[in-house]
Amino acid sequence: MTVFDTKTWDTIVIVPPKPDASLSQHEDFSYLHLYNFDDLNANYCNSGETRGSVGTAKTCSVSSIGSSGSSSSSEDLAYLLDKADDAVTENGTASYLITRDPRNGAFTFSVNAEYDLLLHIQRSLDDAFRSSGSAASVSDIESSKIIMKSIDEYCLKKQWMYHVGMEKSHFISKFLERSIDAFVERNDRRDGIANKKFVCVELGTYCGYSALVLASTLRQAVLKYGKDAFDFHIYTTEVSSKLLNVAMSIFRLAKMKNYVSTILVQECDPLSTTLKKHLPDDSDGIDFLLLDHAKPMYLPDLMDLESARLLRKHSFVAADNVIFNRLDGYRNHMKRWEAEGFVETNLEEMNLEYSNNLKDGIGD
């Protein structure tokens, strides 16, 4: 399907709903096969576990390793952007007005919801562009906020989905800001050494919501510090080409495609080997890592990245879902690091995204 708005849009290509044959048994019906509530210590590739996309209940453990009218158009756009943050208070606590059919609530799945979501996003952007006068007048950060608000609206009013949501995004963004500030401070101390790009890696792209959280936060940092002092790139991995196509459409709509590289990973290939093929040759490793993929793969993938020295003293790591999915192996691993003085970690309780009665948490 190709959708046009000849006044404001370039051609936007939306991939038709024909999932990969190898994934059709799972993806169009449920993503629950990606989650295991046991603390697994087996060889996940040999036992048939897969690296998957974004998860069910979003509990996040975050750790740092190491220390249309012309006169009113701008007002209309500002209103739309302000509404994107209405549900989140200053301390990040969310209060949701949920109007969707209860049959479409948490842990329910709708065939091809991702494509329906794309059309919903496009309508939201069309409304915003008409208010502002043109697509060109809306920045990438503003476009991203409109898209994230549109996704939140869809999940609250029509169908629950796996996106991190506005509440957790607040904490992930704040934690990423800490990582950016530390990175810039280190670079300032490197006399005569050329500044390197900030490397941000996300495991589990899904539809790209969390990547937009990362990208918009990083773009704001560029505006804060200047491109000469700070630049970045995001690498996001996914096992489903279907979902990557959806995410890439969203990145184009958000005007963030130049800042995000999507990586289709193969089952049982070492994650570190795959990433090294894409990361810059002069990279010191990963500056910020967000784990939000198949839950049993958190610990083995983390240890793989440690062994490959892609994670180092100043890396920051955020991990979603560790409480709800009872990922004790991962948490114990991080606690051992904390006891040895390598890691700082905290947990804060909040609701599951797009829910008012399911408890969850995030750490920073």
Side-chain angles (χ1 to χ4, degrees), residues 275-308:
L275 286 176
K276 284 181 176 180
K277 296 176 182 178
H278 296 271
L279 297 183
D281 293 336
D282 62 348
S283 171
D284 290 333
I286 299 170
D287 296 294
F288 189 92
L289 174 66
L290 174 60
L291 293 89
D292 201 5
H293 59 322
K295 308 313 160 187
M297 295 306 302
Y298 276 28
L299 182 55
D301 280 345
L302 181 75
M303 296 177 70
D304 172 44
L305 295 177
E306 292 168 6
S307 298

PDB file of all heavy atoms in Angstrom, residues 275-308:
ATOM      1  N   LEU A 275      26.939  -7.309  15.939  1.00  0.00           N
ATOM      2  CA  LEU A 275      27.084  -5.880  16.188  1.00  0.00           C
ATOM      3  C   LEU A 275      28.411  -5.344  15.668  1.00  0.00           C
ATOM      4  O   LEU A 275      28.472  -4.231  15.123  1.00  0.00           O
ATOM      5  CB  LEU A 275      26.957  -5.587  17.689  1.00  0.00           C
ATOM      6  CG  LEU A 275      25.544  -5.661  18.272  1.00  0.00           C
ATOM      7  CD1 LEU A 275      25.584  -5.455  19.769  1.00  0.00           C
ATOM      8  CD2 LEU A 275      24.631  -4.625  17.620  1.00  0.00           C
ATOM      9  N   LYS A 276      29.475  -6.119  15.805  1.00  0.00           N
ATOM     10  CA  LYS A 276      30.782  -5.646  15.353  1.00  0.00           C
ATOM     11  C   LYS A 276      30.824  -5.389  13.856  1.00  0.00           C
ATOM     12  O   LYS A 276      31.647  -4.608  13.370  1.00  0.00           O
ATOM     13  CB  LYS A 276      31.862  -6.644  15.753  1.00  0.00           C
ATOM     14  CG  LYS A 276      32.233  -6.584  17.237  1.00  0.00           C
ATOM     15  CD  LYS A 276      33.321  -7.583  17.566  1.00  0.00           C
ATOM     16  CE  LYS A 276      33.755  -7.464  19.022  1.00  0.00           C
ATOM     17  NZ  LYS A 276      34.818  -8.440  19.361  1.00  0.00           N
ATOM     18  N   LYS A 277      29.945  -6.052  13.119  1.00  0.00           N
ATOM     19  CA  LYS A 277      29.874  -5.819  11.671  1.00  0.00           C
ATOM     20  C   LYS A 277      29.266  -4.465  11.344  1.00  0.00           C
ATOM     21  O   LYS A 277      29.403  -3.970  10.214  1.00  0.00           O
ATOM     22  CB  LYS A 277      29.046  -6.919  11.002  1.00  0.00           C
ATOM     23  CG  LYS A 277      29.657  -8.311  11.102  1.00  0.00           C
ATOM     24  CD  LYS A 277      28.722  -9.342  10.490  1.00  0.00           C
ATOM     25  CE  LYS A 277      29.286 -10.748  10.627  1.00  0.00           C
ATOM     26  NZ  LYS A 277      28.341 -11.775  10.079  1.00  0.00           N
ATOM     27  N   HIS A 278      28.563  -3.856  12.310  1.00  0.00           N
ATOM     28  CA  HIS A 278      27.839  -2.611  12.063  1.00  0.00           C
ATOM     29  C   HIS A 278      28.403  -1.415  12.816  1.00  0.00           C
ATOM     30  O   HIS A 278      28.265  -0.275  12.343  1.00  0.00           O
ATOM     31  CB  HIS A 278      26.366  -2.786  12.438  1.00  0.00           C
ATOM     32  CG  HIS A 278      25.643  -3.788  11.599  1.00  0.00           C
ATOM     33  ND1 HIS A 278      25.003  -3.451  10.425  1.00  0.00           N
ATOM     34  CD2 HIS A 278      25.468  -5.127  11.749  1.00  0.00           C
ATOM     35  CE1 HIS A 278      24.454  -4.532   9.896  1.00  0.00           C
ATOM     36  NE2 HIS A 278      24.717  -5.564  10.682  1.00  0.00           N
ATOM     37  N   LEU A 279      29.029  -1.637  13.954  1.00  0.00           N
ATOM     38  CA  LEU A 279      29.544  -0.519  14.739  1.00  0.00           C
ATOM     39  C   LEU A 279      30.753   0.107  14.053  1.00  0.00           C
ATOM     40  O   LEU A 279      31.485  -0.568  13.322  1.00  0.00           O
ATOM     41  CB  LEU A 279      29.930  -0.991  16.143  1.00  0.00           C
ATOM     42  CG  LEU A 279      28.807  -1.539  17.017  1.00  0.00           C
ATOM     43  CD1 LEU A 279      29.347  -1.904  18.399  1.00  0.00           C
ATOM     44  CD2 LEU A 279      27.662  -0.549  17.139  1.00  0.00           C
ATOM     45  N   PRO A 280      31.015   1.393  14.275  1.00  0.00           N
ATOM     46  CA  PRO A 280      32.172   2.054  13.652  1.00  0.00           C
ATOM     47  C   PRO A 280      33.485   1.391  14.057  1.00  0.00           C
ATOM     48  O   PRO A 280      33.628   0.897  15.183  1.00  0.00           O
ATOM     49  CB  PRO A 280      32.086   3.483  14.196  1.00  0.00           C
ATOM     50  CG  PRO A 280      30.689   3.662  14.663  1.00  0.00           C
ATOM     51  CD  PRO A 280      30.224   2.307  15.114  1.00  0.00           C
ATOM     52  N   ASP A 281      34.442   1.389  13.140  1.00  0.00           N
ATOM     53  CA  ASP A 281      35.736   0.769  13.420  1.00  0.00           C
ATOM     54  C   ASP A 281      36.469   1.448  14.572  1.00  0.00           C
ATOM     55  O   ASP A 281      37.230   0.810  15.303  1.00  0.00           O
ATOM     56  CB  ASP A 281      36.617   0.804  12.165  1.00  0.00           C
ATOM     57  CG  ASP A 281      36.082  -0.089  11.053  1.00  0.00           C
ATOM     58  OD1 ASP A 281      35.353  -1.042  11.380  1.00  0.00           O
ATOM     59  OD2 ASP A 281      36.388   0.187   9.874  1.00  0.00           O
ATOM     60  N   ASP A 282      36.266   2.765  14.726  1.00  0.00           N
ATOM     61  CA  ASP A 282      36.965   3.488  15.791  1.00  0.00           C
ATOM     62  C   ASP A 282      36.163   3.556  17.084  1.00  0.00           C
ATOM     63  O   ASP A 282      36.516   4.291  18.006  1.00  0.00           O
ATOM     64  CB  ASP A 282      37.300   4.907  15.338  1.00  0.00           C
ATOM     65  CG  ASP A 282      36.053   5.739  15.032  1.00  0.00           C
ATOM     66  OD1 ASP A 282      34.942   5.161  14.957  1.00  0.00           O
ATOM     67  OD2 ASP A 282      36.182   6.968  14.858  1.00  0.00           O
ATOM     68  N   SER A 283      35.085   2.758  17.164  1.00  0.00           N
ATOM     69  CA  SER A 283      34.242   2.795  18.360  1.00  0.00           C
ATOM     70  C   SER A 283      34.957   2.185  19.554  1.00  0.00           C
ATOM     71  O   SER A 283      35.677   1.194  19.436  1.00  0.00           O
ATOM     72  CB  SER A 283      32.937   2.038  18.096  1.00  0.00           C
ATOM     73  OG  SER A 283      32.199   1.867  19.280  1.00  0.00           O
ATOM     74  N   ASP A 284      34.746   2.785  20.721  1.00  0.00           N
ATOM     75  CA  ASP A 284      35.257   2.227  21.973  1.00  0.00           C
ATOM     76  C   ASP A 284      34.313   1.189  22.553  1.00  0.00           C
ATOM     77  O   ASP A 284      34.583   0.626  23.605  1.00  0.00           O
ATOM     78  CB  ASP A 284      35.460   3.341  23.009  1.00  0.00           C
ATOM     79  CG  ASP A 284      36.611   4.260  22.646  1.00  0.00           C
ATOM     80  OD1 ASP A 284      37.534   3.792  21.940  1.00  0.00           O
ATOM     81  OD2 ASP A 284      36.586   5.428  23.054  1.00  0.00           O
ATOM     82  N   GLY A 285      33.198   0.962  21.889  1.00  0.00           N
ATOM     83  CA  GLY A 285      32.190   0.048  22.407  1.00  0.00           C
ATOM     84  C   GLY A 285      30.844   0.734  22.495  1.00  0.00           C
ATOM     85  O   GLY A 285      30.601   1.761  21.851  1.00  0.00           O
ATOM     86  N   ILE A 286      29.977   0.182  23.312  1.00  0.00           N
ATOM     87  CA  ILE A 286      28.608   0.687  23.459  1.00  0.00           C
ATOM     88  C   ILE A 286      28.550   1.674  24.617  1.00  0.00           C
ATOM     89  O   ILE A 286      28.962   1.363  25.733  1.00  0.00           O
ATOM     90  CB  ILE A 286      27.631  -0.478  23.707  1.00  0.00           C
ATOM     91  CG1 ILE A 286      27.647  -1.440  22.516  1.00  0.00           C
ATOM     92  CG2 ILE A 286      26.218   0.042  23.959  1.00  0.00           C
ATOM     93  CD1 ILE A 286      26.913  -2.744  22.766  1.00  0.00           C
ATOM     94  N   ASP A 287      28.024   2.855  24.344  1.00  0.00           N
ATOM     95  CA  ASP A 287      27.867   3.857  25.405  1.00  0.00           C
ATOM     96  C   ASP A 287      26.569   3.685  26.163  1.00  0.00           C
ATOM     97  O   ASP A 287      26.522   3.903  27.380  1.00  0.00           O
ATOM     98  CB  ASP A 287      27.942   5.264  24.813  1.00  0.00           C
ATOM     99  CG  ASP A 287      29.307   5.552  24.208  1.00  0.00           C
ATOM    100  OD1 ASP A 287      30.285   5.609  24.972  1.00  0.00           O
ATOM    101  OD2 ASP A 287      29.385   5.688  22.971  1.00  0.00           O
ATOM    102  N   PHE A 288      25.499   3.298  25.451  1.00  0.00           N
ATOM    103  CA  PHE A 288      24.193   3.093  26.103  1.00  0.00           C
ATOM    104  C   PHE A 288      23.532   1.887  25.463  1.00  0.00           C
ATOM    105  O   PHE A 288      23.416   1.819  24.243  1.00  0.00           O
ATOM    106  CB  PHE A 288      23.302   4.325  25.956  1.00  0.00           C
ATOM    107  CG  PHE A 288      22.031   4.271  26.770  1.00  0.00           C
ATOM    108  CD1 PHE A 288      21.985   4.796  28.050  1.00  0.00           C
ATOM    109  CD2 PHE A 288      20.882   3.677  26.245  1.00  0.00           C
ATOM    110  CE1 PHE A 288      20.812   4.739  28.800  1.00  0.00           C
ATOM    111  CE2 PHE A 288      19.714   3.615  26.990  1.00  0.00           C
ATOM    112  CZ  PHE A 288      19.683   4.149  28.270  1.00  0.00           C
ATOM    113  N   LEU A 289      23.120   0.952  26.288  1.00  0.00           N
ATOM    114  CA  LEU A 289      22.481  -0.281  25.820  1.00  0.00           C
ATOM    115  C   LEU A 289      21.108  -0.411  26.441  1.00  0.00           C
ATOM    116  O   LEU A 289      20.956  -0.298  27.657  1.00  0.00           O
ATOM    117  CB  LEU A 289      23.329  -1.499  26.210  1.00  0.00           C
ATOM    118  CG  LEU A 289      22.735  -2.881  25.923  1.00  0.00           C
ATOM    119  CD1 LEU A 289      22.606  -3.121  24.418  1.00  0.00           C
ATOM    120  CD2 LEU A 289      23.586  -3.977  26.570  1.00  0.00           C
ATOM    121  N   LEU A 290      20.093  -0.662  25.606  1.00  0.00           N
ATOM    122  CA  LEU A 290      18.734  -0.924  26.081  1.00  0.00           C
ATOM    123  C   LEU A 290      18.350  -2.337  25.687  1.00  0.00           C
ATOM    124  O   LEU A 290      18.304  -2.670  24.501  1.00  0.00           O
ATOM    125  CB  LEU A 290      17.745   0.078  25.470  1.00  0.00           C
ATOM    126  CG  LEU A 290      16.256  -0.166  25.767  1.00  0.00           C
ATOM    127  CD1 LEU A 290      15.982  -0.118  27.272  1.00  0.00           C
ATOM    128  CD2 LEU A 290      15.381   0.855  25.032  1.00  0.00           C
ATOM    129  N   LEU A 291      18.108  -3.187  26.680  1.00  0.00           N
ATOM    130  CA  LEU A 291      17.668  -4.558  26.436  1.00  0.00           C
ATOM    131  C   LEU A 291      16.159  -4.626  26.536  1.00  0.00           C
ATOM    132  O   LEU A 291      15.589  -4.328  27.586  1.00  0.00           O
ATOM    133  CB  LEU A 291      18.290  -5.526  27.448  1.00  0.00           C
ATOM    134  CG  LEU A 291      19.793  -5.749  27.386  1.00  0.00           C
ATOM    135  CD1 LEU A 291      20.522  -4.734  28.250  1.00  0.00           C
ATOM    136  CD2 LEU A 291      20.135  -7.160  27.875  1.00  0.00           C
ATOM    137  N   ASP A 292      15.525  -5.035  25.456  1.00  0.00           N
ATOM    138  CA  ASP A 292      14.070  -5.142  25.434  1.00  0.00           C
ATOM    139  C   ASP A 292      13.661  -6.188  24.411  1.00  0.00           C
ATOM    140  O   ASP A 292      12.731  -5.998  23.644  1.00  0.00           O
ATOM    141  CB  ASP A 292      13.443  -3.782  25.092  1.00  0.00           C
ATOM    142  CG  ASP A 292      11.989  -3.699  25.542  1.00  0.00           C
ATOM    143  OD1 ASP A 292      11.529  -4.653  26.188  1.00  0.00           O
ATOM    144  OD2 ASP A 292      11.334  -2.688  25.239  1.00  0.00           O
ATOM    145  N   HIS A 293      14.380  -7.302  24.403  1.00  0.00           N
ATOM    146  CA  HIS A 293      14.131  -8.357  23.421  1.00  0.00           C
ATOM    147  C   HIS A 293      13.659  -9.607  24.147  1.00  0.00           C
ATOM    148  O   HIS A 293      12.944  -9.491  25.141  1.00  0.00           O
ATOM    149  CB  HIS A 293      15.372  -8.598  22.567  1.00  0.00           C
ATOM    150  CG  HIS A 293      16.611  -8.995  23.317  1.00  0.00           C
ATOM    151  ND1 HIS A 293      16.964  -8.461  24.549  1.00  0.00           N
ATOM    152  CD2 HIS A 293      17.599  -9.877  22.999  1.00  0.00           C
ATOM    153  CE1 HIS A 293      18.099  -8.986  24.944  1.00  0.00           C
ATOM    154  NE2 HIS A 293      18.510  -9.866  24.036  1.00  0.00           N
ATOM    155  N   ALA A 294      13.994 -10.781  23.668  1.00  0.00           N
ATOM    156  CA  ALA A 294      13.558 -12.023  24.311  1.00  0.00           C
ATOM    157  C   ALA A 294      14.156 -12.100  25.717  1.00  0.00           C
ATOM    158  O   ALA A 294      15.376 -12.029  25.882  1.00  0.00           O
ATOM    159  CB  ALA A 294      13.975 -13.232  23.478  1.00  0.00           C
ATOM    160  N   LYS A 295      13.305 -12.250  26.697  1.00  0.00           N
ATOM    161  CA  LYS A 295      13.747 -12.118  28.083  1.00  0.00           C
ATOM    162  C   LYS A 295      14.795 -13.152  28.498  1.00  0.00           C
ATOM    163  O   LYS A 295      15.728 -12.810  29.222  1.00  0.00           O
ATOM    164  CB  LYS A 295      12.530 -12.152  29.025  1.00  0.00           C
ATOM    165  CG  LYS A 295      11.434 -11.161  28.641  1.00  0.00           C
ATOM    166  CD  LYS A 295      12.009  -9.773  28.347  1.00  0.00           C
ATOM    167  CE  LYS A 295      11.046  -8.948  27.516  1.00  0.00           C
ATOM    168  NZ  LYS A 295      11.636  -7.668  27.076  1.00  0.00           N
ATOM    169  N   PRO A 296      14.689 -14.420  28.078  1.00  0.00           N
ATOM    170  CA  PRO A 296      15.733 -15.377  28.460  1.00  0.00           C
ATOM    171  C   PRO A 296      17.100 -15.056  27.872  1.00  0.00           C
ATOM    172  O   PRO A 296      18.100 -15.617  28.311  1.00  0.00           O
ATOM    173  CB  PRO A 296      15.207 -16.721  27.920  1.00  0.00           C
ATOM    174  CG  PRO A 296      13.739 -16.531  27.755  1.00  0.00           C
ATOM    175  CD  PRO A 296      13.576 -15.095  27.372  1.00  0.00           C
ATOM    176  N   MET A 297      17.149 -14.154  26.886  1.00  0.00           N
ATOM    177  CA  MET A 297      18.421 -13.821  26.258  1.00  0.00           C
ATOM    178  C   MET A 297      19.134 -12.655  26.919  1.00  0.00           C
ATOM    179  O   MET A 297      20.265 -12.330  26.553  1.00  0.00           O
ATOM    180  CB  MET A 297      18.202 -13.505  24.771  1.00  0.00           C
ATOM    181  CG  MET A 297      17.711 -14.675  23.939  1.00  0.00           C
ATOM    182  SD  MET A 297      18.744 -16.148  24.080  1.00  0.00           S
ATOM    183  CE  MET A 297      20.330 -15.518  23.538  1.00  0.00           C
ATOM    184  N   TYR A 298      18.503 -12.016  27.911  1.00  0.00           N
ATOM    185  CA  TYR A 298      19.139 -10.855  28.549  1.00  0.00           C
ATOM    186  C   TYR A 298      20.520 -11.193  29.087  1.00  0.00           C
ATOM    187  O   TYR A 298      21.513 -10.540  28.760  1.00  0.00           O
ATOM    188  CB  TYR A 298      18.259 -10.341  29.691  1.00  0.00           C
ATOM    189  CG  TYR A 298      17.147  -9.400  29.301  1.00  0.00           C
ATOM    190  CD1 TYR A 298      16.562  -9.453  28.041  1.00  0.00           C
ATOM    191  CD2 TYR A 298      16.663  -8.472  30.207  1.00  0.00           C
ATOM    192  CE1 TYR A 298      15.526  -8.598  27.701  1.00  0.00           C
ATOM    193  CE2 TYR A 298      15.633  -7.609  29.874  1.00  0.00           C
ATOM    194  CZ  TYR A 298      15.072  -7.682  28.632  1.00  0.00           C
ATOM    195  OH  TYR A 298      14.045  -6.827  28.291  1.00  0.00           O
ATOM    196  N   LEU A 299      20.574 -12.188  29.966  1.00  0.00           N
ATOM    197  CA  LEU A 299      21.841 -12.498  30.616  1.00  0.00           C
ATOM    198  C   LEU A 299      22.877 -13.045  29.645  1.00  0.00           C
ATOM    199  O   LEU A 299      24.020 -12.567  29.642  1.00  0.00           O
ATOM    200  CB  LEU A 299      21.619 -13.455  31.789  1.00  0.00           C
ATOM    201  CG  LEU A 299      22.867 -13.837  32.586  1.00  0.00           C
ATOM    202  CD1 LEU A 299      23.601 -12.587  33.086  1.00  0.00           C
ATOM    203  CD2 LEU A 299      22.508 -14.753  33.745  1.00  0.00           C
ATOM    204  N   PRO A 300      22.561 -14.053  28.820  1.00  0.00           N
ATOM    205  CA  PRO A 300      23.588 -14.529  27.890  1.00  0.00           C
ATOM    206  C   PRO A 300      24.057 -13.461  26.916  1.00  0.00           C
ATOM    207  O   PRO A 300      25.248 -13.397  26.594  1.00  0.00           O
ATOM    208  CB  PRO A 300      22.919 -15.703  27.169  1.00  0.00           C
ATOM    209  CG  PRO A 300      21.466 -15.587  27.454  1.00  0.00           C
ATOM    210  CD  PRO A 300      21.335 -14.884  28.757  1.00  0.00           C
ATOM    211  N   ASP A 301      23.158 -12.596  26.438  1.00  0.00           N
ATOM    212  CA  ASP A 301      23.587 -11.541  25.524  1.00  0.00           C
ATOM    213  C   ASP A 301      24.437 -10.497  26.240  1.00  0.00           C
ATOM    214  O   ASP A 301      25.424  -9.988  25.691  1.00  0.00           O
ATOM    215  CB  ASP A 301      22.372 -10.877  24.866  1.00  0.00           C
ATOM    216  CG  ASP A 301      21.817 -11.695  23.714  1.00  0.00           C
ATOM    217  OD1 ASP A 301      22.524 -12.609  23.249  1.00  0.00           O
ATOM    218  OD2 ASP A 301      20.675 -11.431  23.278  1.00  0.00           O
ATOM    219  N   LEU A 302      24.053 -10.174  27.467  1.00  0.00           N
ATOM    220  CA  LEU A 302      24.856  -9.230  28.250  1.00  0.00           C
ATOM    221  C   LEU A 302      26.267  -9.772  28.465  1.00  0.00           C
ATOM    222  O   LEU A 302      27.264  -9.060  28.274  1.00  0.00           O
ATOM    223  CB  LEU A 302      24.182  -8.964  29.599  1.00  0.00           C
ATOM    224  CG  LEU A 302      24.906  -7.966  30.504  1.00  0.00           C
ATOM    225  CD1 LEU A 302      24.708  -6.543  30.013  1.00  0.00           C
ATOM    226  CD2 LEU A 302      24.421  -8.105  31.947  1.00  0.00           C
ATOM    227  N   MET A 303      26.355 -11.039  28.856  1.00  0.00           N
ATOM    228  CA  MET A 303      27.667 -11.643  29.102  1.00  0.00           C
ATOM    229  C   MET A 303      28.477 -11.754  27.816  1.00  0.00           C
ATOM    230  O   MET A 303      29.704 -11.602  27.827  1.00  0.00           O
ATOM    231  CB  MET A 303      27.481 -13.000  29.772  1.00  0.00           C
ATOM    232  CG  MET A 303      26.831 -12.905  31.149  1.00  0.00           C
ATOM    233  SD  MET A 303      26.531 -14.504  31.942  1.00  0.00           S
ATOM    234  CE  MET A 303      28.234 -14.995  32.306  1.00  0.00           C
ATOM    235  N   ASP A 304      27.810 -11.998  26.698  1.00  0.00           N
ATOM    236  CA  ASP A 304      28.494 -12.041  25.411  1.00  0.00           C
ATOM    237  C   ASP A 304      29.097 -10.674  25.083  1.00  0.00           C
ATOM    238  O   ASP A 304      30.254 -10.576  24.645  1.00  0.00           O
ATOM    239  CB  ASP A 304      27.507 -12.468  24.320  1.00  0.00           C
ATOM    240  CG  ASP A 304      28.072 -12.347  22.916  1.00  0.00           C
ATOM    241  OD1 ASP A 304      29.237 -12.754  22.712  1.00  0.00           O
ATOM    242  OD2 ASP A 304      27.357 -11.854  22.025  1.00  0.00           O
ATOM    243  N   LEU A 305      28.333  -9.602  25.312  1.00  0.00           N
ATOM    244  CA  LEU A 305      28.832  -8.254  25.033  1.00  0.00           C
ATOM    245  C   LEU A 305      29.958  -7.874  25.984  1.00  0.00           C
ATOM    246  O   LEU A 305      30.903  -7.167  25.602  1.00  0.00           O
ATOM    247  CB  LEU A 305      27.687  -7.241  25.130  1.00  0.00           C
ATOM    248  CG  LEU A 305      26.569  -7.390  24.095  1.00  0.00           C
ATOM    249  CD1 LEU A 305      25.465  -6.385  24.352  1.00  0.00           C
ATOM    250  CD2 LEU A 305      27.112  -7.248  22.670  1.00  0.00           C
ATOM    251  N   GLU A 306      29.872  -8.356  27.231  1.00  0.00           N
ATOM    252  CA  GLU A 306      30.963  -8.133  28.184  1.00  0.00           C
ATOM    253  C   GLU A 306      32.235  -8.823  27.713  1.00  0.00           C
ATOM    254  O   GLU A 306      33.321  -8.224  27.695  1.00  0.00           O
ATOM    255  CB  GLU A 306      30.567  -8.647  29.565  1.00  0.00           C
ATOM    256  CG  GLU A 306      29.453  -7.881  30.248  1.00  0.00           C
ATOM    257  CD  GLU A 306      28.936  -8.620  31.473  1.00  0.00           C
ATOM    258  OE1 GLU A 306      29.532  -9.660  31.840  1.00  0.00           O
ATOM    259  OE2 GLU A 306      27.945  -8.152  32.056  1.00  0.00           O
ATOM    260  N   SER A 307      32.109 -10.089  27.334  1.00  0.00           N
ATOM    261  CA  SER A 307      33.273 -10.863  26.906  1.00  0.00           C
ATOM    262  C   SER A 307      33.924 -10.271  25.663  1.00  0.00           C
ATOM    263  O   SER A 307      35.153 -10.318  25.503  1.00  0.00           O
ATOM    264  CB  SER A 307      32.868 -12.321  26.634  1.00  0.00           C
ATOM    265  OG  SER A 307      32.377 -12.929  27.808  1.00  0.00           O
ATOM    266  N   ALA A 308      33.086  -9.718  24.776  1.00  0.00           N
ATOM    267  CA  ALA A 308      33.608  -9.107  23.559  1.00  0.00           C
ATOM    268  C   ALA A 308      34.113  -7.688  23.788  1.00  0.00           C
ATOM    269  O   ALA A 308      34.577  -7.028  22.850  1.00  0.00           O
ATOM    270  CB  ALA A 308      32.518  -9.088  22.491  1.00  0.00           C
TER     271      ALA A 308
END
